[in-house]
């Protein structure tokens, strides 16, 4: 009759600190902390990573406003880090300085239009007629100044930066800046009237 194998004695049991299949027996949990309950796990999943409070939203809004104001001031002062792509580069800066250093008929277009509009309110047909005729003649001279400015600035850029290194669109860029009133230009003028650009 077969005998039942005897239960292992206390001497045969693995001692504390020994490992069975790589897992230590008899010691504390290897992760060093108790397993969280299911309720704790669900609460952790529901908790947002960033607190959605009024203070946090107000702080984020204030930070965004500060960054926008910094970018606006930087663009107005001609800081290359804040300029849009159409205003970036040394050639564009040279063109802006060249235009800002001189006087151009285009700067007076807006004031002239305001005067013509005011003249239309006067009950004098002859004055209204000559105001419109004078405005169109003035615009004709402004267009001529824009063309001359465009040609001149291209020559100046070629002389400064080299024949084959002139960017496209500099003539139009300069011409459009001439029709803006000086205090409305962006980036703001960095040179005074009559000051030769560097």
């Amino acid at each position: 009759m077969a005998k039942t194998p005897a239960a292992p004695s206390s001497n045969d049991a693995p001692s504390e600190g020994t490992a069975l299949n790589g897992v230590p027996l008899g010691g504390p949990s290897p992760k060093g902390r108790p397993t969280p309950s299911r309720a704790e796990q669900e609460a952790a999943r529901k908790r947002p990573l960033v607190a959605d409070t009024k203070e946090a939203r107000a702080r984020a809004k204030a930070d965004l406003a500060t960054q926008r104001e910094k970018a606006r001031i930087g663009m107005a002062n001609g800081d290359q880090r804040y300029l849009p792509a159409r205003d970036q580069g040394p050639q564009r800066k040279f063109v802006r300085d060249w235009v800002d250093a001189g006087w151009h008929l285009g700067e007076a277009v807006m004031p002239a239009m305001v005067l013509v509009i005011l003249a239309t309110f006067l009950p004098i047909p002859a004055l209204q007629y000559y105001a419109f005729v004078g405005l169109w003649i003035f615009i004709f001279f402004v267009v001529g100044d824009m063309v001359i400015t465009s040609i001149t600035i291209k020559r100046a850029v070629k002389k400064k930066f080299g024949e084959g290194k002139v960017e496209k669109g500099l003539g139009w860029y300069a011409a459009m800046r001439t029709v803006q009133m000086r205090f409305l230009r962006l980036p703001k003028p960095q040179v005074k009237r009559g000051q030769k650009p560097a």
Side-chain angles (χ1 to χ4, degrees):
M1 205 172 162
K3 292 183 179 180
T4 321
S9 64
S10 59
N11 294 335
D12 295 334
S15 61
E16 186 174 341
T18 59
L20 180 61
N21 294 332
V23 179
L25 299 174
S29 175
K31 59 190 175 184
R33 64 181 186 277
T35 303
S37 66
R38 181 171 181 176
E40 291 173 345
Q41 292 178 0
E42 289 179 355
R45 282 196 296 269
K46 291 179 181 177
R47 189 180 302 123
L49 296 176
V50 180
D52 187 18
T53 61
K54 290 183 178 180
E55 293 80 8
R57 289 195 297 270
R59 197 179 315 113
K61 188 175 181 180
D63 291 343
L64 183 61
T66 302
Q67 292 175 3
R68 286 179 177 171
E69 180 64 13
K70 186 177 179 182
R72 186 190 67 79
I73 294 173
M75 185 184 73
N77 293 332
D79 191 335
Q80 293 290 330
R81 295 173 297 175
Y82 301 105
L83 292 179
R86 67 180 178 86
D87 294 321
Q88 290 181 356
Q91 293 188 19
R92 302 276 170 160
K93 183 181 186 315
F94 175 78
V95 170
R96 289 195 302 271
D97 291 346
W98 195 93
V99 171
D100 296 337
W103 292 88
H104 302 279
L105 293 175
E107 297 178 48
V109 168
M110 291 299 293
M113 288 184 173
V114 171
L115 291 176
V116 171
I117 292 172
L118 292 176
T120 60
F121 289 102
L122 299 176
I124 307 173
L127 179 61
Q128 296 176 1
Y129 173 77
Y130 286 115
F132 275 107
V133 171
L135 178 63
W136 281 108
I137 293 174
F138 180 69
I139 290 176
F140 175 78
F141 282 106
V142 168
V143 172
D145 181 58
M146 292 172 67
V147 172
I148 294 171
T149 300
S150 176
I151 295 171
T152 308
I153 197 64
K154 287 179 182 177
R155 290 176 181 171
V157 172
K158 286 179 182 178
K159 184 178 179 181
K160 181 174 177 62
F161 295 96
E163 183 72 29
K165 299 181 179 179
V166 179
E167 297 177 8
K168 292 183 178 180
L170 291 181
W172 178 254
Y173 182 72
M176 292 308 297
R177 192 167 176 87
T178 62
V179 296
Q180 297 172 345
M181 299 180 72
R182 184 179 174 88
F183 67 93
L184 294 177
R185 293 173 183 168
L186 282 176
K188 290 183 179 179
Q190 303 296 311
V191 296
K192 295 179 180 179
R193 301 272 195 188
Q195 182 181 349
K196 187 177 180 181

